[in-house]
Amino acid sequence: MAANIERMSMAQAVPAPRAFAGAAQSFAVQPAKGVFIENRWRPAHSQNAVDVVDPATGIVFAQIADCGREDVNAAVAAARRAFDQGAWGRTRPTDRGRMLARVAELIARHAEELAVIEARDTGKPLSLARGDMVATARYFEYYGGAADKVHGDTIPYLPGFFVATEREAHGVTAHIIPWNYPAQMFGRTVAPALAMGNACVIKPAEDACLSAHRLVELIAEAGFPEGAVALVPGRGETAGAALSGHPQIDFISFTGSPEVGALIQIAAAKNHVGCTLELGGKSPHVLFADADLDEALPIIGKGIVMNAGQTCSAGSRVLVERAIYDKVAAGLAAYFTGVRAGSPEMDLDLGPVINAAQKKRVETFRARAKADGIPLLAEGSIAPGVDPAGYFVTPSLYGPVPRDNDLACEEVFGPLLVLIPFEDEADAIRLANGTDYGLMAAVWTRDGNRALRVSRRIRAGQVYVNGFGAGGGIELPFGGMKKSGHGREKGLEALLEFSTLKTIILRHG
Ligand code: NAI
Ligand code: MG
């Protein structure tokens, strides 16, 4: 049965979204809420809407506004007022911290409601969505605690001078958020920006943004003054382009594709403002022959299957010392064979991918691998009973993959894992650094000297030794080297990104 469904969905063209038309069901398409400005929903100027599709069924179940220039202008104007003249610009750091802590409490209180929204919107298994809400609350808790602990310096200078530095908010910050972890990414970028006192204008991804609609309501409920946050839902080409190119914003935070990342950086350059870009990766696990495979293999397998592989920091390449290649291939093949995809309620290893385009992208990589004769070591299955119109893809393990093949170098953003053998330490380092990306890596070995040596040679923003947590904890600075982007999120580093430095030079004679 599973195989049938799999063949069916593989054979048909990528399904188009279906309008909800089930007479027996009792819900209607949830109408768009509009645009959130100064702590309330208002109808959007733009008459356009975007359909919200359930990735597990392909059914449209809600709509969001597709904000245009007028809506973005109104949101940025409100943020400017709040920062330049309003109560928000005068709010003490301690009070900002308390408000953030209240948001954390509200998220925890509404965690189940938010997780259900998130699972429906993204297709991810319910337990993963529940974990996402714990992390989202943690962002607000962590940055709430940090808001009043960002100190400046004093600088010894000439006789008769006293010099001090202080960190100030940029002003109005623009936040363009992806769809893979919508609530977590909201917390990751908005919580530190608010902690530093910026007024945030947020553009969630058109493919999954219902949790963001709820989170701005919770921020208002937590007591943030009018204008501290605004939400401008819509497509990238409309709302996203209008926001990133707006002349009155002071900074842009972006996570998404390298192509759009370049557009963001051009928009930032035209306005002479800074930006952080997080553009994904092709992160390697480097497995030496002395690695503890019982520890490593389950972590490696789960890491790429989680969220259907749609994780910027997923470990998508496994570089294996040749002596243990067969053992690793067999171990991971056994894991992949047992992996099952299903709807959020089934709560299996993974859900569908986000949309028809992403499904097509993954299927194209699979078809090319087949055409290139790359050995398919194992496949997971799609659970019986899923809707064949859902965007399910088959988790697949390949190896050995030629080093210069697209599958070995390009980000798939799907549950495809690649095995590549290496000869020695120097070869492993060359291979680990052999893609355009540099977001994360893991080194697996019992040799402490080698662990440190190799970690320090790998060009990536985060390197784990004998472990892997996609993206790592909230406390751990995270971001790219090379074409994975620039700037650091998470940890106290994020507070530096979301602020600027002022030096005050006082001549006292
Ligand atoms: P995308 O880069 O188009 O979307 C990310 C965000 O940028 C969304 O909010 C989108 O509305 C916005 N955006 C799109 N065009 C824009 C524009 N012209 N101006 C301003 N904002 C704009 O990514 P997409 O198309 O959804 O996914 C394509 C591929 O990108 C994926 O297959 C994956 O490889 C990669 N990706 C990586 C992510 C990461 O976490 N690093 C997250 C999402 C996608
Ligand atoms: Mg796009």
Side-chain angles (χ1 to χ4, degrees):
M1 175 98 184
N4 271 342
I5 286 171
E6 191 189 311
R7 263 199 298 279
M8 260 162 51
S9 56
M10 284 282 284
Q12 63 193 199
V14 173
R18 298 181 287 168
F20 177 72
Q25 272 96 336
S26 56
F27 68 89
V29 173
Q30 194 185 309
K33 281 186 162 173
V35 49
F36 194 81
I37 296 178
E38 289 176 331
N39 288 351
R40 60 186 182 277
W41 291 106
R42 306 160 184 225
H45 281 278
S46 156
Q47 299 297 306
N48 302 328
V50 186
D51 286 339
V52 179
V53 180
D54 176 347
T57 61
I59 290 175
V60 175
F61 68 99
Q63 290 197 313
I64 56 159
D66 186 13
C67 290
R69 201 165 292 282
E70 280 174 312
D71 293 306
V72 170
N73 285 347
V76 173
R80 277 257 70 99
R81 275 194 303 278
F83 183 80
D84 295 332
Q85 303 134 35
W88 178 235
R90 296 190 301 271
T91 303
R92 289 187 310 154
T94 306
D95 292 329
R96 298 199 300 258
R98 287 180 180 145
M99 290 172 195
L100 285 160
R102 274 202 292 277
V103 178
E105 281 165 27
L106 287 169
I107 293 170
R109 198 179 308 156
H110 293 277
E112 188 59 21
E113 173 206 341
L114 284 162
V116 169
I117 294 174
E118 192 84 322
R120 185 94 200 271
D121 209 3
T122 59
K124 67 177 68 187
L126 260 172
S127 49
L128 182 60
R130 289 189 179 115
D132 284 0
M133 296 316 145
V134 174
T136 307
R138 262 297 282 150
Y139 277 111
F140 285 90
E141 178 184 50
Y142 177 83
Y143 289 111
D148 58 2
K149 296 169 192 71
V150 180
H151 297 186
D153 264 325
T154 56
I155 301 175
Y157 190 47
L158 302 172
F161 282 84
F162 178 83
V163 181
T165 61
E166 64 176 351
R167 297 213 69 94
E168 288 187 356
H170 289 296
V172 176
T173 49
H175 303 260
I176 298 181
I177 297 178
W179 42 260
N180 48 347
Y181 293 89
Q184 272 209 60
M185 298 298 306
F186 184 110
R188 176 160 127 188
T189 175
V190 172
L194 289 173
M196 293 310 292
N198 297 281
C200 302
V201 182
I202 304 151
K203 208 300 280 175
E206 58 271 46
D207 282 298
C209 64
L210 297 182
S211 58
H213 281 61
R214 197 68 189 96
L215 288 169
V216 289
E217 293 175 349
L218 297 181
I219 287 173
E221 193 179 329
F224 277 84
E226 286 186 353
V229 297
L231 189 83
V232 286
R235 292 180 301 120
E237 296 77 2
T238 50
L243 178 59
S244 54
H246 199 290
Q248 301 222 5
I249 59 168
D250 300 302
F251 189 81
I252 311 174
S253 158
F254 174 81
T255 298
S257 62
E259 297 75 23
V260 177
L263 298 178
I264 299 293
Q265 186 142 320
I266 290 167
K270 284 186 176 160
N271 278 325
H272 308 288
V273 299
C275 62
T276 53
L277 302 178
E278 199 268 81
L279 309 176
K282 190 76 181 177
S283 299
H285 287 279
V286 184
L287 271 166
F288 285 97
D290 64 347
D292 182 342
L293 296 185
D294 292 339
E295 279 271 319
L297 298 190
I299 292 175
I300 293 172
K302 283 190 190 126
I304 186 68
V305 163
M306 183 179 76
N307 213 39
Q310 304 165 118
T311 305
C312 44
S313 48
S316 51
R317 292 187 292 153
V318 188
L319 316 181
V320 191
E321 191 160 6
R322 197 172 286 281
I324 55 164
Y325 181 84
D326 289 342
K327 204 169 163 198
V328 169
L332 285 173
Y335 171 77
F336 262 75
T337 307
V339 163
R340 286 184 308 156
S343 64
E345 306 74 47
M346 292 175 176
D347 213 12
L348 304 177
D349 303 297
L350 70 158
V353 295
I354 191 72
N355 58 24
Q358 196 62 32
K359 178 180 161 97
K360 192 164 170 219
R361 180 185 172 105
V362 177
E363 298 301 6
T364 303
F365 271 101
R366 278 168 47 91
R368 258 194 276 158
K370 194 170 177 187
D372 292 348
I374 295 172
L376 173 62
L377 294 175
E379 281 183 331
S381 57
I382 298 170
V386 302
D387 191 325
Y391 308 127
F392 294 95
V393 298
T394 306
S396 312
L397 175 70
Y398 293 97
V401 178
R403 296 171 177 216
D404 56 352
N405 190 274
D406 285 350
L407 196 56
C409 308
E410 287 182 20
E411 182 179 56
V412 178
F413 230 55
L416 309 188
L417 187 62
V418 165
L419 303 188
I420 307 171
F422 67 79
E423 307 306 331
D424 56 24
E425 189 176 307
D427 192 34
I429 293 166
R430 204 163 37 238
L431 201 45
N433 288 333
T435 74
D436 289 340
Y437 291 107
L439 192 57
M440 284 193 62
V443 181
W444 299 86
T445 176
R446 287 186 170 95
D447 177 340
N449 290 342
R450 177 158 63 193
L452 205 46
R453 221 165 36 229
V454 175
S455 306
R456 298 189 75 189
R457 292 282 305 279
I458 292 181
R459 300 260 298 139
Q462 260 187 16
V463 184
Y464 270 84
V465 174
N466 295 332
F468 196 76
I474 279 133
E475 305 85 348
L476 313 178
F478 171 79
M481 293 186 185
K482 295 155 72 185
K483 293 203 167 35
S484 288
H486 52 74
R488 290 292 174 268
E489 300 183 280
K490 303 189 171 180
L492 298 180
E493 287 289 324
L495 299 172
L496 304 183
E497 294 285 359
F498 283 112
S499 60
T500 182
L501 191 76
K502 177 175 284 172
T503 310
I504 298 181
I505 304 116
L506 200 147
R507 187 163 68 86
H508 54 71

